[in-house]
Amino acid sequence: MDTRPGRPFPLGAHWHGGGTRFAVWSGIASAVTLCLLDEGGAERRVPCHRTDGVWHVDVDGVGPGQRYGYRVDGPWDPAQGHLCNPAKLLVDPYARAIEGEPSWDGSERAFASGRERDDRDSGGAVPVSVVTSAVFDWGAHPRPRHRLEDSLIYEVHVRGATIRHPDVPPELRGTYRGLAHPAVVEHLTSLGVTAVELLPVHHFVDDERLLGLGLRNYWGYSSLGWFAPHRSYAVRDPATEFKAMVRDFHAAGIEVILDVVYNHTAEAGLDGPVLSWRGLDHRAHYRLAPDDPGRYDDVTGTGNTVVAGHPNVIRTVLDSLRHWVSEMHVDGFRFDLATALMRDPRDVDPGAAMLDAIGQDPTLADVKLIAEPWDLGPDGYAVGRFPVGWSEWNGRYRDDVRDFWRGERRLPDLAARLTGSADVYRPSGRAPRASVNFVTSHDGFTLADLVSHERKHNEANLEGNRDGDDHNRSWNHGVEGATDDADVLAARRRSRRALLATLFLSQGVPHLLGGDELGRSQGGNNNAYCQDNEVSWFDWQAVDDDLVGTVRRLSRLRREQPALRRDDFFDDVDPMISWLRHEGGAMGDGDWHDGRRSVVMRLEATGVGDRALLVIVNGDDQGHNVELPDGEGQGGVTWWVPVVDTAQVGAEPRQRRCASGTRIRVHHRSVVVLRATG
């Protein structure tokens, strides 16, 4: 086997036709050995050369499909945070493909670090890296490039969405190819979805505790490789099938956004496994307690936290993001626990090195960057504090909208959320597109459960119902959980339609939890991270036509009305918006604080061919007769046509067009939208 020193960059394994160049970083190693594995697991060991902390070698005759790993000689001193041990076979952090699972079986559990040195060889008990080829035919389909304000983001799990889909071939269910099957794409396009936001698809592993309980790491927030698509979502080749999924979504005008986990890894706490980063250079990759480097400073709740300010971590994250944009053609990223990425080193700083690097990278200038703006550390709730160029999951939106519809008297807060949360995002110089509005997400109740449960029911997670949030701002309409009471069921359905209407009628970017439009329930489980079963999977045999119709109607209205998709905030005194009382007349200062729970929002037409809108929100427990305003304003309006009524099935209104000055009946806890006509 002929070898040459190769070169230190790019990092990872790169096939060049006659062989493969390997490069990996470890600033603390005294020696690094490349291990090439044959089909039986036997190793050929190749010493690497060093250049400024990068260990590299070029090996002839090695090509795609070759399995490999690294062994690292260096200091072992847990009290100082050093855990190098050449007995441990390590995954390449830059591996484009990873195969195999950790073996947690008794004596074969040879890769845990613990506090004692373990010199058992971990080869055969750990995942391994695989050399890949980047060749792929992308065809002629360009990226859709939707504006954020024109987007409808659909959060979805690759496996859970299709594992029970009757129209997806059995061999494709639960895979990348299954998610992009025409039957699924047709459903998404009928909803007006412009982007799918995939729960983590970076390669992840199941942890010992869950497997011991008969559970799985379903959500995937336990990354082992930031460059490799998760293998179990593929029929054969993960990278090729992932690319084909992206290509097919793009052909349908749908973007692909990845939920990425750069804040922690699968190596968990100090008693977790040595799989990759921990054995390469532990102190450079993980936050250690300042007063005791033998302990972690964890702000993620997962056992470890990546040290986001380290130059090599910044480089790895940026290289990963560029890889998924340039090689895999994804359109954006949602960053899990993103506050952890702007701790520099511990204080939360919007000017942190990681965020600066991302913001300055030209490859990332045209992709969507969405933060989950919190972590579990001090000052970790950072909604509204990310810099220009970033959007955020707006936790304020979720909480205020839920509170309004469950009966809290917060009309001013609702108005702020309907108009794009200027109070949250204007101070940082951003626009309504910074607010990714959501009522439900993977983390918490589904929409069906939000209106059916006031308590979480996570017993199936086998943690004594201690996991998951205890403050859900939910309401069960008088009965906890399943019921056959027709009045309760009708009230719940009306609340779901009202919540959906609020979401689609708000300035900003609507985010829809996949399956909410189908009526999906998790039986009150608000933390189904480990439920790879019917608790989490979509049930395509029980589609709720009412909710599907509601989403389609609301999505179409949003697409047709530029006034709902503004690229700037309303001014304090803005002729394009006015607030009216349901009794008639403008809202005064006292009206906002007199306990009322109903309001009429009038949006004027934004251009030629557009029409003014009336959005009537009634959160009261009784109906109201609402006086329609006169036609003053753009277009000389004299008639209003109802287009949405959430008191009705499918939000389809029964009323015909009504003249200005007419009083129409708006049912309790419902939303009515009317559009002006000539």
Side-chain angles (χ1 to χ4, degrees):
M1 184 183 298
D2 293 331
T3 67
R4 291 173 297 281
R7 54 179 185 251
F9 295 101
L11 294 171
H14 295 272
W15 177 56
H16 53 74
T20 300
R21 288 188 293 268
F22 297 87
V24 67
W25 183 87
S26 172
I28 200 173
S30 58
V32 173
T33 303
L34 169 69
C35 303
L36 302 174
L37 290 79
D38 65 18
E39 293 184 0
E43 297 179 12
R44 292 184 180 182
R45 298 188 176 183
V46 182
C48 295
H49 303 261
R50 180 178 184 175
T51 302
D52 297 332
V54 178
W55 300 82
H56 50 91
V57 68
D58 190 341
V59 185
D60 284 349
V62 169
Q66 174 67 57
R67 300 160 68 244
Y68 71 99
Y70 291 102
R71 295 183 184 272
V72 175
D73 288 274
W76 170 271
D77 186 354
Q80 294 303 312
H82 302 314
L83 300 175
C84 296
N85 185 346
K88 308 310 174 189
L89 185 66
L90 305 176
V91 169
D92 179 2
Y94 277 71
R96 266 55 172 177
I98 299 172
E99 66 179 41
E101 294 290 333
S103 171
W104 300 102
D105 183 19
S107 62
E108 294 185 17
R109 190 180 184 277
F111 47 84
S113 62
R115 298 285 181 159
E116 302 293 332
R117 184 178 176 94
D118 182 351
D119 287 321
R120 290 177 296 171
D121 195 306
S122 68
V126 292
V128 296
S129 313
V130 184
V131 177
T132 65
S133 168
V135 176
F136 183 77
D137 180 9
W138 284 100
H141 301 295
R143 297 173 187 254
R145 301 188 186 279
H146 299 293
R147 298 192 317 159
L148 258 173
E149 47 266 67
D150 296 334
S151 297
L152 169 57
I153 297 174
Y154 186 90
E155 186 186 25
V156 65
H157 189 283
V158 171
R159 175 170 166 82
T162 63
I163 195 67
R164 292 197 292 176
H165 199 303
D167 296 328
V168 175
E171 67 274 14
L172 300 184
R173 294 173 188 167
T175 70
Y176 303 120
R177 292 171 61 189
L179 188 62
H181 187 274
V184 180
V185 171
E186 181 181 0
H187 174 72
L188 296 176
T189 55
S190 78
L191 298 176
V193 169
T194 67
V196 288
E197 182 178 292
L198 308 182
L199 266 69
V201 297
H202 287 173
H203 189 82
F204 60 87
V205 297
D206 291 303
D207 65 80
E208 181 179 25
R209 184 188 69 83
L210 288 178
L211 290 175
L213 294 172
L215 302 170
R216 301 294 297 273
N217 178 15
Y218 174 67
W219 283 353
Y221 290 92
S222 187
S223 299
L224 177 59
W226 291 341
F227 293 77
H230 188 59
R231 180 166 290 274
S232 74
Y233 297 157
V235 179
R236 293 183 181 84
D237 177 41
T240 299
E241 294 174 31
F242 181 91
K243 291 176 182 178
M245 175 195 69
V246 174
R247 180 189 60 196
D248 292 346
F249 275 132
H250 283 180
I254 297 174
E255 296 178 315
V256 177
I257 298 172
L258 301 188
D259 191 335
V260 288
V261 187
Y262 295 122
N263 59 81
H264 70 277
T265 78
E267 292 184 305
L270 281 172
D271 291 325
V274 176
L275 299 174
S276 183
W277 296 277
R278 179 173 281 153
L280 282 162
D281 195 326
H282 182 231
R283 288 192 65 151
H285 288 98
Y286 295 111
R287 295 174 59 92
L288 306 180
D291 58 342
D292 182 2
R295 295 187 300 108
Y296 278 142
D297 179 17
D298 177 29
V299 298
T300 67
T302 64
N304 69 60
T305 300
V306 170
V307 54
H310 190 280
N312 185 68
V313 172
I314 294 173
R315 175 172 60 196
T316 305
V317 170
L318 268 291
D319 284 348
S320 170
L321 294 170
R322 286 189 289 259
H323 167 74
W324 288 96
V325 172
S326 300
E327 297 294 331
M328 313 299 273
H329 286 207
V330 305
D331 306 283
F333 305 94
R334 178 266 189 190
F335 293 77
D336 177 64
L337 296 180
T339 300
L341 302 182
M342 64 174 180
R343 292 188 179 274
D344 198 4
R346 185 170 179 81
D347 293 338
V348 176
D349 179 9
M354 177 70 80
L355 267 62
D356 277 352
I358 293 172
Q360 296 171 21
D361 191 281
T363 302
L364 306 178
D366 195 30
V367 302
K368 295 171 173 63
L369 303 175
I370 302 170
E372 182 186 35
W374 46 78
D375 68 14
L376 301 185
D379 195 29
Y381 190 74
V383 173
R385 294 167 60 188
F386 277 73
V388 171
W390 285 79
S391 298
E392 300 173 11
W393 270 25
N394 188 348
R396 293 271 304 273
Y397 182 95
R398 173 199 58 203
D399 296 347
D400 288 343
V401 170
R402 287 186 179 188
D403 277 346
F404 178 82
W405 286 110
R406 73 188 179 115
E408 295 286 333
R409 297 184 180 276
R410 294 182 176 178
L411 192 57
D413 290 335
L414 179 69
R417 304 308 147 236
L418 284 169
T419 52
S421 297
D423 57 330
V424 178
Y425 297 109
R426 194 185 321 220
S428 61
R430 288 180 286 171
R433 70 178 70 91
S435 179
V436 175
N437 300 326
F438 70 107
V439 176
T440 55
S441 70
H442 71 276
D443 188 3
F445 283 143
T446 67
L447 186 62
D449 291 345
L450 183 68
V451 299
S452 304
H453 298 274
E454 294 189 2
R455 302 184 303 278
K456 65 186 182 185
H457 298 272
N458 298 356
E459 290 80 8
N461 297 354
L462 304 181
E463 298 182 41
N465 205 34
R466 293 184 298 272
D467 63 300
D469 198 346
D470 291 312
H471 188 45
N472 294 283
R473 292 179 162 88
S474 58
W475 62 107
N476 62 18
H477 293 79
V479 178
E480 183 70 7
T483 181
D484 56 4
D485 187 306
D487 291 338
V488 171
L489 293 173
R492 289 175 176 177
R493 297 174 74 84
R494 187 166 55 248
S495 288
R496 281 189 281 179
R497 292 192 293 265
L499 286 161
L500 288 168
T502 307
L503 178 67
F504 279 87
L505 295 169
S506 298
Q507 304 292 334
V509 186
H511 168 285
L512 180 67
L513 174 61
D516 274 355
E517 83 284 5
L518 306 178
R520 187 174 72 88
S521 169
Q522 294 177 169
N525 191 322
N526 74 349
N527 189 35
Y529 75 102
C530 56
Q531 299 297 325
D532 187 7
N533 49 47
E534 289 83 356
V535 171
S536 298
W537 299 342
F538 288 19
D539 183 0
W540 293 93
Q541 303 289 353
V543 174
D544 191 316
D545 292 332
D546 171 23
L547 293 178
V548 171
T550 297
V551 171
R552 288 173 177 168
R553 176 174 293 275
L554 291 166
S555 179
R556 183 170 61 251
L557 174 64
R558 186 178 180 86
R559 291 195 305 274
E560 294 172 348
Q561 290 291 145
L564 296 173
R565 298 179 281 108
R566 289 174 57 97
D567 58 8
D568 59 356
F569 290 114
F570 295 104
D571 295 332
D572 291 338
V573 179
D574 196 317
M576 302 305 292
I577 186 171
S578 54
W579 299 94
L580 310 173
R581 301 162 26 139
H582 75 260
E583 308 97 320
M587 289 278 287
D589 290 341
D591 294 321
W592 288 104
H593 304 287
D594 68 358
R596 68 174 57 230
R597 304 198 67 256
S598 65
V599 70
V600 180
M601 178 177 69
R602 176 171 175 158
L603 300 176
E604 300 298 343
T606 60
V608 177
D610 195 11
R611 294 293 184 180
L613 282 185
L614 284 184
V615 178
I616 306 171
V617 178
N618 182 15
D620 277 333
D621 290 326
Q622 61 183 12
H624 291 303
N625 293 318
V626 178
E627 181 178 327
L628 302 182
D630 61 30
E632 294 180 0
Q634 293 185 1
V637 177
T638 56
W639 294 92
W640 298 96
V641 178
V643 291
V644 167
D645 184 351
T646 64
Q648 308 301 328
V649 173
E652 183 173 0
R654 296 178 180 175
Q655 296 170 317
R656 298 180 179 179
R657 69 174 188 161
C658 308
S660 301
T662 302
R663 288 186 176 270
I664 66 169
R665 187 67 175 173
V666 177
H667 293 276
H668 64 290
R669 292 184 175 269
S670 65
V671 178
V672 172
V673 182
L674 301 97
R675 182 161 46 200
T677 185

